[in-house]
Amino acid sequence: MWFTSDNAGPAHPSVMEALTRANADYAGSYGADAIMDGVRAKIRNLFEAPDAAVYLVATGTAANALSLACLCPPWATIYCHRNSHIEEDECAAPEFYTGGAKLTLLDGGHARIEPRSFEDALSFTARAGVHNVQKGALSLTNSTEAGAVYSLDQIRALTDIAKAHGLPVHLDGARFSNAVAALGCTPAEMTWKAGVDIVCFGGTKNGLMGVEAVVIFDAKLAWEFELRRKRGGHLFSKHRYLSAQMEAYLDGDLWREMALHANAMATRLSEGLLAKGADLQHPTEANAVFAAWSRDGHRAVQAAGGQYYFWPFNQSLDGPGDEKLSARLVCSWCTTEEDVDGFLNCL
Ligand SMILES: *Cc1c(COP(=O)(O)O)cnc(C)c1O
């Protein structure tokens, strides 16, 4: 009953088999391996983007920070939600890799940026010319840090505003697959067709050992990304082991299958919690559930081995039994119905 995060589970067996296959022979280094040639072709095909540049890195933080550095100069600002991962969970890596760009924090329910908040911030930026930070880039996250999903129209509404101001758009897709699976759309529809310029196509949270693909639709940025990746220490020499994981992910659309399963488990958990009298803090639209239930219920489920985080963290099992405490529960490709039902049966 592990619901701490979707990175807490094991990697999918197909991924480990692909690693073992990749380990059988010599291969070109630094991304010049034959497996990567296949990955590049498959990702271009999947995203319907024959000219896209495709790179692999091992963490989402590197993927985001290197991408944003290609989009935003040091004297500009990145517009993002105030609960976004780049703001709350990356130890200022975006600021560091951009060489000091600011983040401008925007509002909106369920970690989705409200277009009005973006427009207000834009109208306030660079109002005194050279004295202010300039407009840099827009960064979105889908699915969001609150387990919600931007619809294609909601993405378009934001990217239209960005384009009207000449700003490029980055999509943090640590849970890209969960969002695509939830929307039932294609990867192209959720990215370049909706105005996204760079996407971090996450793998680690969805069954890989540690790989994220950065897909750059404007190939003019490709060389800069390569230089930044090397300079930042994120170019792997034994790159074939990253390629092999991504190959397994793409093969037979394993990424989609795993995401559909994770989302289905979250729906089951969410509905079960509601039936037990819990309140939801955010709608369950992808693979994460944000719910509040009684402290006595938390005691019971934790005594039975349930693993998850209080959300926010600063809550405790000490106190009145009927008081409600809120938690985050994240499902993954390997969450089982037994895990979910076992958890619910404790309540
Ligand atoms: C997990 C996550 C990342 C990447 O995190 P790393 O720990 O650096 O791999 C990026 N964005 C979001 C929204 C995430 O949840």
Side-chain angles (χ1 to χ4, degrees), residues 4-310:
T4 51
S5 177
D6 33 6
N7 57 22
H12 192 280
S14 303
V15 174
M16 303 314 282
E17 285 160 21
L19 282 167
T20 304
R21 279 198 305 278
N23 201 36
D25 207 347
Y26 285 77
S29 43
Y30 298 111
D33 52 284
I35 306 171
M36 187 61 196
D37 292 339
V39 164
R40 237 177 255 116
K42 281 181 184 161
I43 288 190
R44 287 174 178 151
N45 192 39
L46 179 65
F47 283 82
E48 303 166 49
D51 300 324
V54 179
Y55 300 108
L56 304 182
V57 291
T59 72
T61 300
N64 284 338
L66 292 169
S67 299
L68 288 165
C70 293
L71 299 183
C72 185
W75 50 84
T77 189
I78 298 159
Y79 300 90
C80 62
H81 195 279
R82 68 176 60 255
N83 300 128
S84 63
H85 200 270
I86 61 169
E87 158 64 7
E88 293 197 331
D89 293 292
E90 299 189 356
C91 198
E95 292 91 328
F96 175 68
Y97 276 90
T98 53
K102 270 175 87 92
L103 301 185
T104 295
L105 307 182
L106 307 178
D107 297 306
H110 314 305
R112 271 189 294 245
I113 296 167
E114 184 61 49
R116 187 60 202 272
S117 172
F118 184 27
E119 279 175 329
D120 287 351
L122 283 165
S123 68
F124 204 65
T125 309
R127 63 204 175 283
V130 74
H131 299 284
N132 306 129
V133 78
Q134 304 294 302
K135 297 169 192 171
L138 170 66
S139 177
L140 306 174
T141 309
N142 215 17
S143 59
T144 75
E145 288 78 359
V149 175
Y150 282 98
S151 69
L152 298 182
D153 286 344
Q154 287 170 329
I155 295 173
R156 181 49 91 180
L158 292 165
T159 62
D160 279 351
I161 298 169
K163 300 296 164 194
H165 290 261
L167 303 186
V169 180
H170 158 258
L171 177 62
D172 175 349
R175 299 191 178 91
F176 182 88
S177 304
N178 302 94
V180 167
L183 292 174
C185 68
T186 66
E189 284 168 341
M190 206 174 86
T191 55
W192 65 270
K193 289 186 179 176
V196 170
D197 298 291
I198 292 189
V199 57
C200 303
F201 174 40
T204 310
K205 294 240 168 79
N206 190 30
L208 301 190
M209 223 172 77
V211 175
E212 319 277 307
V214 176
V215 186
I216 306 177
F217 300 109
D218 177 359
K220 283 197 297 296
L221 296 172
W223 181 235
E224 178 177 341
F225 186 92
E226 288 199 40
L227 294 170
R228 288 185 179 279
R229 178 178 60 165
K230 175 65 189 182
R231 185 168 187 256
H234 285 285
L235 175 59
F236 276 57
S237 63
K238 284 189 135 154
H239 187 283
R240 82 194 78 160
Y241 299 104
L242 302 192
S243 314
Q245 295 177 62
M246 189 50 68
E247 181 189 44
Y249 200 48
L250 298 167
D251 206 15
D253 283 344
L254 180 63
W255 60 273
R256 191 195 300 272
E257 183 190 309
M258 292 195 286
L260 282 168
H261 176 81
N263 291 359
M265 291 302 103
T267 302
R268 185 183 183 95
L269 181 58
S270 180
E271 287 172 353
L273 284 165
L274 280 175
K276 298 273 183 183
D279 306 320
L280 292 186
Q281 265 78 46
H282 301 292
T284 305
E285 296 176 351
N287 66 320
V289 180
F290 293 78
W293 65 92
S294 73
R295 183 176 274 112
D296 278 341
H298 284 282
R299 286 180 181 135
V301 79
Q302 291 187 22
Q307 305 278 339
Y308 55 91
Y309 293 122
F310 284 131

